[in-house]
Amino acid sequence: MKPEPFLLIAASVVLLVSACSHNPSVPVGDEWHPPGELLERYADKNGVVTRAAIEAGLRADFAAADRDHDGCLDAEEARAVNEERWKEAASASSPLIDFLHNGCIDFDEYAAEPRSVFEQLDKDGDGRLTPNELHPGRKPPNTTAP
């Protein structure tokens, strides 16, 4: 066997193995934001987020973003929301998009991402997220005094 094909095969195997070794569930750098972070703002004093609290919070947030109070975010209102989301969560944020292509973003389009994250994290389907469900794998804070 000539050395060139062998080296090419060996290099390909090394690249393939190294590409498979990356674990996307492991945060990389300071840019990573866990999905539950999107919902933390709606948590009560115990860190629990309920479906009702999210809906109420989203309605209040939508009303604040809808400056002309027409029940629809126009391009300028959506741009302002998207800029704020980018400041808060950088690349982890999802921009508002007019999925219905009707010239505005209605409440359901606005609420789609947080609702979806809630449903994905609410594994037991009880309509509430505990701190453990919001941030699976995170160790609880040390509450005992030294």
Side-chain angles (χ1 to χ4, degrees), residues 19-93:
C20 293
S21 69
H22 174 68
N23 183 351
S25 66
V26 175
V28 179
D30 294 334
E31 299 284 323
W32 188 79
H33 295 269
E37 189 175 276
L38 174 69
L39 306 176
E40 285 179 333
R41 64 188 297 163
Y42 307 113
D44 65 16
K45 63 181 177 170
N46 297 317
V48 174
V49 178
T50 64
R51 184 176 286 114
I54 285 177
E55 287 299 314
L58 288 171
R59 290 200 183 278
D61 293 346
F62 182 82
D66 183 16
R67 291 185 226 134
D68 57 8
H69 308 292
D70 64 354
C72 173
L73 301 184
D74 61 28
E76 186 57 39
E77 292 165 330
R79 187 176 302 109
V81 171
N82 287 335
E83 287 175 5
E84 188 61 33
R85 286 180 174 187
W86 182 260
K87 286 179 195 173
E88 290 176 8
S91 62
S93 65

